[in-house]
Amino acid sequence: MSPAPSRVVIDCDPGIDDAIALLLAYASPELDVAGITTVAGNVGLDQVVDNALRLCDLIGGAAASTPVLRGHAGPLARGRRQPDEPVHGAYGLGGVELPQATRAANPGHAVDWTAGEVRARPGEITLIATAPLINVAGLLHTHPGAGAALREIVVMGGAAFAPGNVTPAAEFNFYADPEAARYVTESGVPLRIVGLDVTRAALTPLADAETLIADGGPATSAAGRMLRHLIERYEWRHGVRACAVHDALAVAAAIEPGLLEWTEAWVTVECAGEFTRGALVADVHGRSGHAPNALVATGVDADAFRAFMLSRLLAAYGTSAPPLTR
């Protein structure tokens, strides 16, 4: 008998890699997606919410009625959010225009909704955060006890031992609101961090995007075209015909933690450095004197992740796949 699926809330800012992450989550019977909360990040909040709703309709099944909540439109501490991440192109989805959403976002705020969900199911909810940590910090700060009721937070963010992708030191999600990221990392909630150390080591090649496009299903075709846009950006910037699908790896980590290698560390986020604002600090040798507060992903089976993601997407959404009912 298979174990009951893990109940998750996905806090995201779609975004191409968030879109693939949502597709992967709904393609995976190990997860029960309770809700999707949104925050400004790759694009502004209105576009993020619209993208999430359109993606839910594209996925179908249970996704078509999953609660989608509006969250914060900018940083908690510094007042003005970073400009849209240009990597993601038109609509934030690489120019892939999905059909108009058939519903609006749920009423209420993402933070308050998540607090209610977590308190109703203490110890059951894993929060997968693939965006700037503004909503997550807001949850932990404004709803005392919510953190203790969470099972775990899986974060896509930071670069513990690798260069950043916004500055030499900082990754986009942490740089967008370093104070929020610091609050979350030091919150005491069980934490897994999936950062650029591993996402850059698990690239998806153009061949996989072309396989999805060739399948011809609405969702596989859209996913392949989004990935192809991202690969074109990577080729222009890095000279490789492949791309990191950062947020999908975080979802995979919540499903199959054994795809990655994990290192205990005390972590925090630099908020004051002239050149290091937003940098993830990971102490793996106890130099700080603090006990470990996170598991940091430091290795990944790239081939296994690639096969995992591609096979799940084709099995769930391919032209020969049965209708998605979960």
Side-chain angles (χ1 to χ4, degrees):
M1 183 175 177
S2 300
S6 297
R7 195 161 176 86
V8 300
V9 171
I10 301 178
D11 188 66
C12 57
D13 60 337
I16 293 171
D17 52 336
D18 301 81
I20 305 302
L22 289 172
L23 288 163
L24 180 59
Y26 281 101
S28 299
E30 298 91 344
L31 300 184
D32 173 16
V33 183
I36 298 168
T37 56
T38 60
V39 62
N42 291 318
V43 287
L45 184 61
D46 288 344
Q47 185 70 66
V48 159
V49 173
D50 187 51
N51 287 349
L53 290 166
R54 291 177 188 237
L55 285 161
C56 284
D57 283 351
L58 177 70
I59 293 166
S65 58
T66 298
V68 175
L69 284 297
R70 292 175 66 91
H72 285 288
L76 297 178
R78 295 290 177 101
R80 188 175 69 86
R81 76 179 192 90
Q82 295 298 315
D84 292 351
E85 174 55 61
V87 169
H88 296 266
Y91 318 111
L93 298 177
V96 177
E97 188 172 8
L98 302 177
Q100 185 72 33
T102 58
R103 60 183 170 123
N106 289 56
H109 194 278
V111 168
D112 299 325
W113 179 89
T114 305
E117 184 72 17
V118 168
R119 286 173 174 158
R121 297 172 177 268
E124 295 184 23
I125 303 293
T126 293
L127 181 54
I128 304 175
T130 63
L133 292 171
I134 306 162
N135 287 342
V136 183
L139 170 71
L140 300 177
H141 182 69
T142 61
H143 292 276
L150 279 167
R151 178 182 178 186
E152 184 179 41
I153 303 174
V154 179
V155 172
M156 189 282 121
F161 310 108
N165 62 356
V166 175
T167 72
E171 176 274 332
F172 177 82
N173 286 342
F174 282 17
Y175 187 75
D177 192 337
E179 287 79 11
R182 183 168 192 164
Y183 194 88
V184 172
T185 57
E186 296 188 6
S187 68
V189 178
L191 186 67
R192 290 180 187 263
I193 296 179
V194 179
L196 300 183
D197 306 83
V198 289
T199 62
R200 282 175 170 157
L203 299 182
T204 293
L206 180 60
D208 288 6
E210 290 177 337
T211 295
L212 291 167
I213 294 168
D215 175 77
T220 51
S221 176
R225 286 181 287 141
M226 291 181 213
L227 288 169
R228 184 173 62 189
H229 168 87
L230 206 53
I231 289 165
E232 289 170 356
R233 291 283 307 191
Y234 263 68
E235 185 174 17
W236 170 77
R237 189 170 188 86
H238 303 293
V240 295
R241 304 191 82 187
C243 69
V245 194
H246 309 283
D247 299 337
L249 185 55
V251 167
I255 300 166
E256 292 283 355
L259 290 170
L260 298 105
E261 298 171 11
W262 303 93
T263 300
E264 283 193 332
W266 178 76
V267 299
T268 189
V269 176
E270 177 58 53
C271 295
E274 180 181 359
F275 300 107
T276 57
R277 178 168 163 79
L280 173 64
V281 178
D283 177 14
V284 297
H285 298 299
R287 304 289 187 188
S288 64
H290 297 294
N293 60 359
L295 289 171
V296 178
T298 52
V300 59
D301 187 331
D303 291 339
F305 167 66
R306 174 189 170 191
F308 177 83
M309 184 173 74
L310 184 62
S311 64
R312 289 284 172 109
L313 296 181
L314 289 170
Y317 310 113
T319 51
S320 61
L324 195 64
T325 58
R326 289 189 303 101

